[in-house]
Amino acid sequence: MTRQEVIISKNLEQSLAAAIEKCPHDRLFVLTDTTTLELCWPVTQNYECLKGSTMITIGATDENKTLETLASVWTALQKGGATRHSLMVNLGGGMVTDLGGFAASTFKRGIRYINIPTTLLSMVDASVGGKTGINFGGLKNEIGVFNAASSVLLDTRFLRTLDGQNIRSGYAEMLKHGLISTPREWAELLNFDLLDIDYTHLQEMVAKSVAIKEEIVEKDPTEKGLRKALNLGHTVGHAFESLALEENRTILHGYAVAWGLVCELYLSAKRMSFPKDKLWQTLQFVRETYGTFFFDCKEYDRLFDFMTHDKKNEANQINFTLLADIGDIRINQSATREEILDMLDFYRESMGS
Ligand code: GLY
């Protein structure tokens, strides 16, 4: 996978013009969803570098991260006369950058694309690192490819368009980055006031968070080893999301990750002696910030089943990323069914589910 350029932009128009210039093209396409068309496109629509571009707009939210939506983007590219030398700009959250990145990566075997993430979640995670894809067969991000954007341009002004829920959703990935880096980053995240946001401080933390992810992706772009660290909280988090999807309950990805972090830190404490005080401090932060995900023991089998579909699994074992301490990462840790059920019991008892 080619290395991508991630820019924390102070002047989006200039940064985008420079990024587009680096990708000579015949036609330019801009992908938005219905939300970013309304809230974010107005910021960019008069940019000289986007003059003459063709707009493609898809439905917002994860329910639209489907094969049908993907096909509609391919069709729009085809109808708009896209060739292998065309360029696509994805302006949106993780759904737009994941699906747009996959559409671009597969259209005529791949056209180049630029990501402009507009949510905290996509700034610190989804748009960086070249994972693209769609949901399929009831499973999250089941189909996709690794293919990095040519450039990722972060303009933290967009953070001010987000409601509290979407800020908290992205913040969970930042918390994950804190847990896999240093006690200092982790403590800074637990102490930040999400009810009265200091945007200047948040921008600094976003830059640090992206740097943590970039360092890992650079060492292991296609997740053969170290990049699995970025899946902390996701084995259980994805199972919660899949259960919620099946039961028509709406939960944001980051909320599922935050709840998944509690479970996987418990497993870390049991299996790797992760310090209990840090488990409880993180748990308390998650409970206060994200509330809880409700499920009962009749749903354990279904959750276990979802975990068996996790992409990290090998040889019929459910593979977790665990921590022996903050920043002390242990990838490829299997757990027995009993350990997983015990973890779910702990979650329900300690989180009031
Ligand atoms: N979201 C995890 C990764 O990019 O590897």
Side-chain angles (χ1 to χ4, degrees), residues 125 131 176 213 223 227 230:
D125 189 29
K131 280 189 180 176
K176 176 197 76 181
K213 174 155 186 181
E223 203 170 295
R227 186 166 178 171
L230 296 172

Side-chain angles (χ1 to χ4, degrees), residues 327-345:
D328 191 349
I329 301 155
R330 307 296 165 93
I331 61 169
N332 298 333
Q333 299 299 319
S334 64
T336 63
R337 186 181 164 83
E338 286 64 41
E339 285 170 319
I340 290 172
L341 300 190
D342 171 55
M343 171 186 79
L344 295 175
D345 274 342

